[in-house]
Each structure stands twice: as C-alpha cells, then as structure tokens.
C-alpha cells in the first residue's frame, strides 16, 4: 500500500526536498517555506498538506456550536483594513453592556467568542464583570474572549502588567484567547496597515504570558494585502517558535484580507483563491507543532472553506451567530450555519465531522 | 484508477464510462485529478494564457411557461411581476455594452407565449442594423424548441430565419442535466435532453457555433453526470460545433428546490471542472463559472482544467435572482487572473482572435 506521500507528483525540483522532509516528518526551514511560497505547483502543495492533515487527524474534522458577539465598535486603532471600527462620535458607534450581550447568546453553545474595538473608556471592571456574568449564565461554555490587542490596550490604560490583567480575567472566567490582531507580525507591514495597533512583539508577548498562566490561545494571520511571501513565512515561523516555547496554541487560522469598503483597498487588490489554498497548506506544513489549522468559512466563503479541508485544514470553526467585523469588510458568506449544514459540507469533502469544544476536545455524546 | 486515466488522457485514447464515473466520484483524489486536468489543458493551450470576454447578458423577458423548479428568474404568463423588453428598450443596453468595451451580447429569456416570431426577427435586425460589429450570442436550445412550438415551425426553420436576421451563435444554456430521471424531475416543462442535443446538432449543421453547459447539484447521480458529458462528447465528435463548455453548481436559494437539495461545496465544483476537462477531450475551451462560484474559487478552477475566465457579464438576471450574483469589472478580473499566475487575453465570443495550439 503506497503512503499518501508516494502519490504526490512534484513537478518543480525545488519542492523535492520539501516533499522528502515532510514525508519523513522533519521540520521545514525558512527556505523550504519560501520554496513553497514561490512554487506554482498548487496540486502538490495542497496534496502534501492534505497528507499531513491525514497523518495528524485521520479523516476527522472538527466544528463547534458557538456564538460571536462584538461588544463595541468604538476603536482608537484605525486599522486601514477595518470597516468595523468607529469613533465614539459616530452615530452608528455602539457599546454593549453585559446584559445586551447575554441576551444575544443562545442556550447550548459550547463557546462564546467575544471581541471588540480598542475602546478607551473601558476599564478592567467592565471585562471582569462581563466574564463573571457570562460564567454564571453559561457555565458550560468556554469563554474565548478579547484578542491580544484588546488585552494589551487594557493593560496600558490600567497601567498594569499583561500578566496582572490576564490573571484577573482568568479569575473572572476567561477560558481562552482568540487569535485576532496578529495581522502580519512584521513592524514595517504593521506601520502601513495598522500603525496604532499593538506591535508584533506585544501580540506575541500577550500570547506567551497567557500560555504561562495556563490560558491557551488561537493565532491568526491576515494575508493577501500588501505583504510579501517572506512576511507570511516569517509570521508562521514566529508562531512556531512561540509554540516550541509554550505549547499553548490550539489552532491557527489564516484570514484572507477581503477587498472592499476599507481604506487599504486603494493599495491592496482582490486576490485569487489560489492564494487562500496555498496559505492554508503552507500553514499546515510549517506549523508542525500547532495541532489544528482552521478553515474559517465566515471569511473564506463556504465553498472555499470546504476546499481548504483538502489543503491542510482539519476544522471548520463553528455555527457562529453573529460576526460584525468580517461582515462589514466585504465577506459574502452568510452569518451563521446550522450544525447539520456544517456536517454535510465536511462529509461532502469525504471527511468525518465531529462536534468539539473550544479546546478541540470531542463532545462525545454527539459524535455518531 | 487515476494511474490508468493519467496514461489515457491523450486525444486518441479516451476515458470510458467507468473512468468518467471514477473521476466524477468522491473516490478520486482531488489534487491528482486536478493535476491531470491541468496537464491536459496545458497541452491544448498556452499554459500561461487565460482568456476572457466582455459582454452583456440581456434578458428580454422573464415570462415563461416552462416553470423549471430550480428557476428564481421567471414568472408565469399573467403574473404581475412579468416583464418584456421592447426593441427600443434593448438598443440602449447594447449601446452601453459597446461603450463599456463589450464585443458581444448574450440574449436569453423565458418562453413567452405572447411574443410573435417577428418580435425576435425585428430585435435581431434592429441590433445588427445599429451595431453591425456586435456578436449576437442568443437563444438557448429550450427557447428554440419553445419557439418552434409557439410558431408551429421546425427548429431548423427558426434557426434559419434567426441566422438570416443576424444571429451569430447559440449559448449552451438550458442543458442542466440532459438525462433522465433528473431532467423531468427538475424541468418537466422544458425541452428534453434529446431535443436539446438535436437543436445543437441542427445549429452546427447550419454553421452556427455554440457553447455547452452542465449544472450539477440537483440530486442527480454520478451516472447521470457521466452520461451528460459523454453525450456532449459524442455530438462534438459528430459536428465539432461546440467552442466551449461551462459547468457550475446549482444555486438553490430562492428557488422551489431550496429546501430539497443541499448546496454543493467548492470541491464538487472543482471536481466537475476537472473531470469535464478530461472527459470532454474534444471541446477546446473550458470556462470557469465565477458568477456562481465567486472570483476566488473561480480562479482556483484555472488549475482544474479551465483556460477561460468566462465574461464580465454586465448583467446576469437569471443567476442574480437566486442571490448568487457576483460582479466584477475588467480591471479587477485581469488582476485576479494575474494574481493566479496567468496572462489575461481578451477574446471575442467564439475565440475568433485566439490562435489554437
Ligand atoms: S481591526 Fe480591530 S483594532 Fe483595528 S480598527 Fe478594527 S476594531 Fe479597531
Ligand atoms: S430556467 Fe429558463 S426555461 Fe426554465 S423557468 Fe426559468 S426562464 Fe423558463
């Protein structure tokens, strides 16, 4: 019986050593990553990532019953790819209090994902109060809340260390940190696309501190705007280094930059889906120490998200009640999907769906 | 089996029914299948070239007696939302299209029993009189069959008179799934698969070039998909009249079948695109359907056997009434083709300006 890897036919000589390393389970170098980035051989790259996914996860693909709530769109950051953030003077700016948020959350969700803008008026008490209310009302759901950027902003406003803020949040119920805010972890690119956001070092540092306190996290990468292939590879390698150090990253989520109603659209152009699949595959291949790669259908669209399940991803994210940030930036995907529909998409890819919790542990009673 | 197919996808040694089914089924590895289709495409066409067209899709009426269950566009005769464009309303649309860089129009509509044959003849003549260079790609086979019934003339006569009035080629729409039992289940009022093929055969004999299409996702089985493609291949062997093939997946939203079948995913789309490239070895061009799949996934199809990005489609009522209308402009489309690693080349409706390998 030939192995999955033997079936891959590499046309470009530069990919041969990569194929050999991956099939032996060896770590890829920066140069290997660049060889993948510069290759046009989509079939081999995705086929290779598909074999790695299979080696790690068999035919199982996870999804979660979850809800997303954006508690405020008031943001002082002004990221150029963002169509969501507002000034507090704008008519359509908003801030949801704990009560507004809890009424938006349906019963029976396994994860509550809450993020928002960098709202200068919010103090630590707002966040801890919200978490403890949610913990009381939804004791079974993992509270996956506040990106590294929000946590860093809060620490600065409160003049506290990152660890102090994280400890208070954890005590109030924080279960996990979502991956948002990574964009591209490169100072020059950040100065162009999100000059006022937490720096790359700060992003990494919040995740490191969280892991040290036993708070796991996800990571992301926003690609397809003005970054070069080198930036993407270095971004992934930085995450891989962090993971070697802490082992706290549960899943990595590549996020396509969506061309549309945002300032960056004058400089960044609409992208090909070939890039989506390559980035997904390369993420799987380089991040050998991160257990899960997520195909985030809300940003990729349902069809592309399904294809990505054959390009290295082993997870479809969740049913998602609401998602303001992506929606306004030009995604054409619907706002939520039922579990049956998610399962069907996974099955149609020839894979087996399993319902999981936020930490990607199977929820056994629903697994058929 | 893909090894056998890899050895085969030459021109003389073609895929048989079982091999066609294997490609179309979920058992074949999507990346290996894609690779085979890509290699075959690159043997037929310059690997770096992707063609596209700028044209306008003009729907002249939404009144239709056919009542296809997957259609969100048509209204039955007498319905308050029914409309028909007059020739005077059509002309400015054609003019606008020329001004936007369009070289052709795609003219299609419902089967409206209240229109006479002179409506069509006058329309074709008026367009050609005003814009002699424009290519008129019009009336899919189900319309031709409906006209032949409404006007009690043969399909050949309908085509003959339309050609005289200025018709340049026929679009391959209305094929959906050409075989039974699916066809009668989804489109009981539409022409049969055999009638569809027959109109194409006649058109080709009269010197018209045509395209061919296929829509999957109506709950049809793999056998039917394979048969559909093999029927097209057979007719193409006979006539050589198909210039291009376009497959897509059914967009069910807002149709009567919305809750009946699950929407197909991107893998099904890529699989049909690649399988069709390997099976339909005798149709030169395979187009992506970005209008239904989105530009990003459409671009991926270029790696699955497609060599053409279809057209800008300045107006597309039939698909956009299902809510799946993706729109783009020429600059954006060219950028995406380039970002995918290809060189965009603007073509005419029948690829008249494109050299063949
Ligand atoms: S992406 Fe986040 S941090 Fe940046 S402007 Fe938008 S809401 Fe603010
Ligand atoms: S698909 Fe065409 S023939 Fe069928 S109902 Fe719609 S307009 Fe009429």
């Amino acid at each position: 019986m030939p192995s999955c890897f033997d079936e891959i036919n590499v046309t470009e000589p530069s990919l041969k050593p990569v194929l050999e390393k991956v099939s032996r389970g060896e770590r890829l170098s920066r140069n290997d990553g660049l060889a993948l980035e510069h290759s046009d051989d989509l079939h081999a790259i995705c086929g290779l990532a598909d074999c790695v996914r299979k080696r790690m996860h068999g035919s199982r693909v996870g999804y979660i019953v979850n809800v997303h709530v954006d508690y405020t769109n008031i943001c002082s950051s002004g990221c150029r790819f963002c169509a969501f953030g507002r000034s507090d003077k704008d008519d359509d700016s908003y801030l949801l209090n704990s009560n507004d948020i809890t009424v938006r959350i349906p019963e029976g969700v396994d994860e509550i994902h809450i993020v928002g803008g960098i709202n200068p008026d919010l103090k630590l008490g707002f966040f801890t109060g919200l978490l403890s209310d949610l913990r009381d009302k939804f004791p079974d759901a993992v509270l996956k809340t506040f990106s590294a950027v929000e946590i860093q902003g809060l620490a600065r406003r409160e003049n506290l260390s990152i660890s102090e803020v994280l400890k208070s949040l954890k005590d109030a119920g924080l279960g996990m940190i979502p991956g948002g805010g990574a964009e591209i972890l490169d100072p020059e690119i950040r100065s162009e696309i999100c000059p006022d956001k937490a720096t790359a070092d700060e992003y990494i540092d919040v995740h490191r501190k969280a892991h040290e306190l036993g708070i796991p996290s996800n990571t992301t990468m926003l690609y397809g705007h003005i970054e070069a292939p080198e930036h993407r590879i270095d971004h992934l390698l930085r995450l891989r280094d962090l993971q070697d150090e802490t082992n706290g990253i549960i899943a990595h989520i590549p996020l396509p930059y969506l061309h549309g109603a945002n300032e960056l659209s004058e400089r960044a152009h609409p992208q090909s889906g070939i890039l989506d699949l390559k980035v997904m595959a390369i993420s799987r291949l380089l991040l050998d120490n991160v257990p899960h790669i997520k195909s985030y259908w809300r940003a990729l669209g349902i069809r592309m998200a399904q294809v990505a399940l054959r390009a290295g991803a082993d997870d479809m994210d969740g049913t998602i009640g609401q998602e303001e940030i992506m929606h306004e930036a030009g995604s054409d995907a619907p706002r939520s999907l039922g579990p049956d529909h998610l399962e069907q998409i996974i099955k149609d890819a020839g894979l087996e769906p399993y319902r999981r919790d936020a930490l990607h542990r199977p929820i056994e009673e629903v697994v058929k | 089996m893909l090894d056998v197919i890899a050895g085969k996808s030459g021109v003389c040694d073609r895929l048989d029914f079982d091999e066609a089914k294997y490609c179309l089924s979920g058992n074949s590895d999507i990346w290996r299948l894609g690779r085979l289709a890509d290699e075959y495409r690159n043997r037929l066409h310059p690997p770096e070239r992707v063609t596209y067209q700028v044209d306008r899709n003009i729907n002249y009426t939404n009144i239709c007696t056919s009542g296809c269950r997957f259609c969100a566009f048509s209204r039955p005769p007498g319905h308050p939302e029914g409309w028909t464009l007059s020739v005077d309303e059509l002309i400015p649309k054609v003019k606008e299209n020329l001004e936007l860089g369009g070289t052709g129009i795609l003219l299609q509509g419902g089967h409206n029993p209240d229109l006479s044959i002179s409506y069509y003849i006058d329309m074709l003549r008026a367009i050609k009189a005003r814009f002699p260079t424009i290519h008129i790609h019009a009336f899919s086979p189900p319309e031709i069959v409906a006209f032949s019934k409404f006007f009690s003339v043969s399909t050949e006569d309908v085509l003959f008179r339309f050609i005289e009035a200025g018709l340049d080629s026929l679009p391959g729409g209305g094929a959906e799934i050409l075989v039974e039992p699916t066809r009668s289940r989804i489109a009981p009022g539409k022409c049969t698969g055999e009638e569809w093929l027959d109109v194409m055969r006649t058109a080709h004999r009269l010197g018209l070039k045509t395209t061919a299409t296929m829509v999957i996702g109506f709950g049809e089985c793999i056998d039917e998909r394979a048969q559909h493609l093999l029927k097209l291949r057979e007719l193409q062997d006979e006539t050589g009249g198909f210039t291009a093939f376009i497959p897509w997946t059914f967009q069910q939203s807002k149709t009567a079948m919305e809750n009946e079948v699950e929407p197909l995913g991107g893998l099904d789309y890529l699989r049909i695109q690649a399988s069709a490239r390997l099976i339909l070895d005798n149709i030169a061009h395979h187009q992506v359907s970005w209008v239904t799949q989105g530009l990003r996934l459409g671009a991926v199809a270029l790696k699955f056997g497609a060599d053409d990005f279809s057209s800008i489609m300045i107006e597309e009522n039939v698909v956009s009434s299902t809510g799946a209308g993706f729109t783009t402009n020429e600059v954006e489309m060219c950028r995406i083709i380039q970002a995918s690693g290809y060189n965009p080349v603007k073509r005419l409706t029948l690829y008249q300006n494109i050299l063949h390998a």
Side-chain angles (χ1 to χ4, degrees):
Chain A
M1 190 61 196
S3 95
C4 190
F5 296 99
D6 298 336
E7 306 256 314
I8 293 171
N9 170 11
V10 170
T11 53
E12 290 169 22
S14 64
L15 290 189
K16 290 237 156 68
V18 178
L19 168 65
E20 274 159 29
K21 279 191 188 175
V22 173
S23 64
R24 286 195 300 262
E26 284 170 28
R27 177 158 274 200
L28 296 182
S29 67
R30 182 173 190 270
N31 277 340
D32 295 329
L34 291 173
L36 288 163
E37 276 281 1
H38 293 301
S39 162
D40 277 334
D41 195 346
L42 183 73
H43 308 103
I45 296 170
C46 294
L48 197 52
D50 195 37
C51 288
V52 171
R53 175 201 51 77
K54 193 169 155 197
R55 185 167 64 193
M56 294 176 80
H57 301 288
S59 56
R60 287 158 62 79
V61 169
Y63 75 91
I64 188 163
V65 175
N66 64 351
V67 63
H68 284 202
V69 182
D70 299 317
Y71 60 93
T72 184
N73 66 352
I74 297 170
C75 184
S76 56
S77 223
C79 304
R80 300 197 173 128
F81 51 82
C82 178
F84 170 74
R86 297 285 187 276
S87 138
D88 57 359
K89 312 220 166 37
D90 288 330
D91 292 345
D92 54 353
S93 66
Y94 71 83
L95 168 64
L96 303 181
N97 64 29
S98 166
N99 209 12
D100 302 328
I101 293 171
T102 44
V103 297
R104 284 174 157 78
I105 298 172
E107 289 296 323
V109 291
D110 296 318
E111 172 191 273
I112 299 173
H113 172 112
I114 296 183
V115 292
I118 312 301
N119 186 329
D121 294 336
L122 299 179
K123 296 282 186 284
L124 184 58
F126 170 86
F127 298 92
T128 50
L130 172 59
L131 285 167
S132 52
D133 285 354
L134 290 170
R135 185 173 50 185
D136 290 348
K137 296 207 173 79
F138 306 97
D140 298 329
V142 172
L143 307 180
K144 175 158 81 65
T145 59
F146 320 129
S147 68
V149 176
E150 291 160 85
I151 290 167
Q152 192 269 339
L154 176 61
R156 204 183 37 200
R157 287 198 298 280
E158 292 282 18
N159 228 338
L160 292 168
S161 73
I162 297 292
S163 297
E164 284 167 322
V165 170
L166 284 167
K167 260 188 226 127
S168 312
L169 296 175
K170 191 183 180 197
D171 288 343
L174 175 71
M176 190 173 173
I177 298 196
E183 324 313 355
I184 287 285
L185 294 170
D186 175 88
E188 268 172 48
I189 298 292
R190 287 182 102 73
S191 73
E192 300 275 333
I193 67 170
C194 52
D196 298 322
K197 203 168 212 161
T199 64
D201 288 345
E202 286 167 338
Y203 177 91
I204 292 286
D205 192 50
V206 172
H207 283 261
R208 180 187 287 116
K209 296 273 162 46
H211 300 167
E212 283 166 2
L213 291 169
I215 306 165
S217 71
N218 288 342
T219 55
T220 60
M221 176 171 86
L222 184 77
Y223 64 89
H225 39 89
I226 58 164
E227 85 287 3
E230 290 71 25
H231 297 123
R232 297 195 285 262
I233 297 301
D234 289 336
H235 180 112
L236 293 172
L237 294 180
R238 257 196 109 163
L239 298 178
R240 188 171 79 181
D241 287 347
L242 173 67
Q243 181 74 339
D244 276 346
E245 214 183 292
T246 64
N247 202 28
I249 305 173
I250 306 274
H252 175 71
I253 310 144
L255 296 173
Y257 162 71
L258 298 171
H259 196 255
N262 58 69
E263 218 185 308
L264 198 56
S265 285
E266 287 161 27
R267 296 180 52 204
H269 299 306
Q271 277 296 339
S272 162
I274 291 174
L275 183 68
D276 296 325
L277 297 174
K278 261 173 87 169
V279 169
M280 193 63 72
I282 294 171
S283 302
R284 178 64 288 163
L285 293 170
L286 280 190
L287 294 177
D288 51 18
N289 52 2
V290 172
H292 302 285
I293 302 290
K294 206 185 270 193
S295 173
Y296 187 50
W297 63 264
R298 219 22 223 86
L300 289 168
I302 300 164
R303 291 190 185 91
M304 188 65 84
Q306 188 198 39
V307 180
L309 295 179
R310 285 293 180 182
D314 66 290
D315 196 87
M316 271 293 270
D317 196 69
T319 47
I320 310 179
Q322 269 183 316
E323 170 66 286
E324 292 294 344
I325 294 186
M326 281 293 169
H327 214 89
E328 298 207 8
S331 165
D332 44 47
R335 289 185 165 225
S336 63
L337 279 186
D340 293 351
H341 193 166
L342 275 173
E343 291 208 359
Q344 193 58 47
I345 292 162
I346 296 166
K347 285 184 197 153
D348 286 347
L351 299 162
E352 290 165 37
Y354 72 97
R355 183 170 158 184
R356 60 164 177 87
D357 70 4
L359 302 170
H360 291 250
R361 293 170 305 204
I363 294 177
E364 292 300 346
E365 59 275 19
V366 292
V367 175
K368 283 148 213 138
Chain B
M1 194 179 251
L2 283 180
D3 290 328
V4 180
I5 292 168
K8 271 206 163 188
S9 50
V11 194
C12 321
D13 194 9
R14 9 176 69 175
L15 270 60
D16 63 24
F17 184 64
D18 286 337
E19 288 158 348
K21 268 175 37 179
Y22 182 72
C23 290
L24 290 161
S25 78
N27 297 329
S28 52
D29 179 85
I30 190 71
W31 301 110
R32 293 190 69 207
L33 182 71
R35 163 67 61 80
L36 291 178
D38 192 41
E39 284 171 354
Y40 189 69
R41 168 232 196 266
N42 291 341
R43 264 184 268 156
L44 294 184
H45 306 290
E48 69 290 345
R49 185 187 73 196
V50 168
T51 49
Y52 71 94
Q53 191 196 3
V54 180
D55 73 352
R56 178 163 199 168
N57 184 9
I58 302 176
N59 297 117
Y60 56 88
T61 183
N62 73 341
I63 297 170
C64 188
T65 53
S66 206
C68 302
R69 302 196 47 247
F70 51 81
C71 182
F73 163 75
S74 69
R75 297 290 179 272
H79 193 281
E81 288 163 15
W83 50 262
T84 300
L85 295 185
S86 67
V87 174
D88 289 343
E89 288 168 312
L90 264 161
I91 295 291
K93 288 180 186 269
V94 181
K95 186 156 175 273
E96 218 173 272
N97 170 51
L98 281 169
E99 285 161 4
L100 288 166
T103 56
I105 50 164
L106 168 58
L107 201 56
Q108 296 185 107
H111 309 166
N112 185 337
D114 298 328
L115 299 175
S116 66
I117 192 159
S118 54
Y119 169 82
Y120 301 96
I121 306 260
D122 292 349
M123 177 160 88
L124 292 168
R125 288 223 172 100
I127 296 169
K128 273 288 151 108
R130 289 285 306 270
F131 315 104
T133 59
I134 202 139
H135 184 107
I136 307 181
H137 188 54
F139 314 122
S140 60
E143 288 165 271
I144 301 293
V145 171
F147 301 156
S148 123
K149 288 184 182 142
F150 292 153
F151 312 138
S152 306
V153 286
S154 69
T155 53
E156 181 168 354
D157 277 346
V158 174
L159 287 169
F160 191 78
R161 297 183 61 180
F162 284 4
I163 294 170
E164 266 189 349
L167 177 66
D168 292 303
S169 59
L170 232 54
E176 329 304 351
I177 289 290
L178 286 171
V179 294
E180 296 300 337
T182 294
R183 191 170 184 82
S184 337
R185 174 169 57 84
I186 62 172
K190 211 171 208 164
C191 72
T192 65
E194 286 312 313
E195 284 173 319
W196 190 97
L197 290 163
D198 217 51
V199 169
M200 288 309 195
R201 185 179 287 112
T202 309
H204 296 164
R205 184 160 45 74
L206 295 176
L208 287 180
K209 295 288 180 193
T210 79
T211 54
T213 63
M214 174 173 189
V215 188
I216 60 166
F218 298 114
E220 73 286 349
C221 61
I222 299 295
D223 262 58
E224 290 175 287
R225 292 184 193 170
Q227 281 178 44
H228 179 111
L229 291 168
L230 291 175
K231 277 178 192 287
L232 293 177
R233 187 173 78 180
E234 207 181 308
L235 181 57
Q236 179 73 343
D237 279 344
E238 195 184 315
T239 65
F242 291 120
T243 54
F245 173 75
I246 315 116
W248 67 90
T249 58
F250 172 45
Q251 312 293 305
Q252 48 268 92
S253 92
K254 298 188 209 157
T255 74
M257 292 180 73
E258 190 163 7
N259 299 317
E260 212 166 289
V261 287
E262 293 283 342
L264 295 184
L267 284 165
D268 294 288
Y269 169 64
L270 295 177
R271 185 175 295 286
I272 190 71
Q273 196 88 54
S275 307
R277 178 63 283 175
L278 293 168
I279 298 162
L280 286 178
D281 51 20
N282 54 0
I283 297 185
H285 300 285
H286 284 231
Q287 301 183 3
V288 310
S289 177
W290 66 262
V291 181
T292 59
Q293 309 298 314
L295 286 164
R296 290 177 100 103
L297 185 56
V300 177
L302 296 173
K303 294 277 185 192
F304 284 75
D307 63 293
D308 186 287
F309 219 70
S310 155
S311 87
I312 301 288
M313 290 271 194
I314 295 164
E315 190 175 355
E316 183 23 320
N317 282 332
V318 177
V319 174
S320 62
S321 29
T322 67
F326 291 92
T327 53
T328 187
N329 61 48
E330 192 171 356
V331 176
E332 196 174 299
M333 184 186 268
C334 287
R335 279 205 176 115
I336 287 170
I337 294 171
Q338 280 161 342
S340 307
Y342 299 92
N343 188 11
V345 176
K346 188 167 168 175
R347 64 162 168 92
L348 301 173
T349 311
L350 299 175
Y351 301 82
Q352 301 95 318
N353 58 331
I354 298 300
L355 293 176
H356 288 98

